[in-house]
Amino acid sequence: MAEASDRPEGSKGWFWTGITIVYALIVLFPIYWMATMMVKPNDAMFARPTQWLFTPTLEHFSYVLDQGFHWYLLTSFALCSVSTALVVIIGTPAAYAFARFEMRGKDDLFLFILGSRMAPPVCLVIPFYLIFAKVGLLDTFTGLTLAYMTFNLSFYIWVLRSFCRDLPVELEEAAALEGWSRLQIFRRVVFPLLRNGIVATAVLCFIFAWNEFLFAFMLGGKAMQTLPVSIPKLITAQGVRWGEMAVVGMTALLPVLAVVFVLQRHIVRGLTLGAVKG
């Protein structure tokens, strides 16, 4: 009887496993197709019917390297890394202050911070351009880093504030009774508990900066071209260079996948922090 009752559950498990596999194949097929385009010759790429078997070529990689796209990749990675680090350094104490301290006009200030993130980027990039032109920050690494930091800082504070509010205040009160200063409490008690939330939010900020186009296009100019800004160069008068675009697209995907893969344990814990309360 027990074996008979277990069979429906086993069948249901195999059914949902099959559904998951089919869904994964559908989702991953465009990535597979783009990966094959990186090494597919042009004559095979546009052949009809589709050629599934072909002789691989590296000419698309050679063109991308000759055009300097690897420098655009390094520029994007440096900008996103530095701006995200600054966001974490500045935004973590700010989020904690919004969650724990009472101050005049706190709700209005927090709403202003949130509103700056919700505003369309085109509404912010023009004032940024005028200000940067006055102070000499156009087409500079510093200027673009500041721009990336500002639109990610509001998001970081907004998200991390909810993590800070979920932390038990009793731990901080117990540390204060031991004679610890507010800085010691933050460094030894709050920060370790917030580590997973900080990592999860910082990865999201890194991805937002990595995919950003408008700020980099308007404020970076020719001197500071990021990878998203450089991709339209592959649309030429002769047509779209699909093989080279596939190379650049897969290259742009790899750093994000690497960051998520290395930090996935912290990301999962951070995103689920506070989801279940006892």
Side-chain angles (χ1 to χ4, degrees), residues 32-77:
Y32 161 77
W33 190 261
M34 188 164 60
T36 59
M37 287 177 61
M38 294 193 303
V39 294
K40 183 180 288 189
N42 289 326
D43 54 350
M45 190 178 303
F46 299 104
R48 294 294 181 271
T50 302
Q51 291 186 8
W52 297 97
L53 299 177
F54 54 88
T55 302
T57 180
L58 297 178
E59 62 180 5
H60 305 312
F61 290 89
S62 300
Y63 181 87
V64 168
L65 292 175
D66 292 339
Q67 295 298 316
F69 278 87
H70 55 290
W71 295 115
Y72 305 142
L73 174 66
L74 294 176
T75 300
S76 291
F77 188 79

Side-chain angles (χ1 to χ4, degrees), residues 82-147:
V82 174
S83 63
T84 302
L86 291 174
V87 165
V88 172
I89 293 172
I90 299 173
T92 303
Y96 177 72
F98 273 111
R100 284 290 186 262
F101 300 143
E102 292 297 330
M103 63 187 77
R104 181 179 300 178
K106 182 176 72 171
D107 294 338
D108 296 334
L109 180 59
F110 188 74
L111 183 61
F112 171 77
I113 292 175
L114 183 59
S116 64
R117 180 68 176 112
M118 297 303 176
V122 70
C123 295
L124 302 176
V125 71
I126 297 176
F128 268 112
Y129 184 90
L130 296 177
I131 294 172
F132 283 6
K134 289 288 186 181
V135 299
L137 289 178
L138 282 179
D139 303 352
T140 62
F141 184 89
T142 302
L144 206 51
T145 300
L146 291 175

Side-chain angles (χ1 to χ4, degrees), residues 145-210:
T145 300
L146 291 175
Y148 279 17
M149 184 187 70
T150 50
F151 71 75
N152 267 333
L153 185 60
S154 55
F155 172 80
Y156 183 87
I157 294 174
W158 175 46
V159 175
L160 198 66
R161 174 176 174 261
S162 62
F163 289 127
C164 294
R165 296 180 66 178
D166 289 336
L167 296 180
V169 70
E170 292 80 9
L171 295 177
E172 301 172 41
E173 294 174 348
L177 291 176
E178 294 292 331
W180 290 10
S181 66
R182 176 60 68 175
L183 181 60
Q184 289 176 319
I185 293 174
F186 179 79
R187 183 166 56 88
R188 299 182 182 181
V189 178
V190 176
F191 186 78
L193 295 175
L194 280 179
R195 185 180 293 115
N196 294 322
I198 290 173
V199 171
T201 314
V203 168
L204 293 177
C205 291
F206 182 89
I207 294 174
F208 292 153
W210 184 260

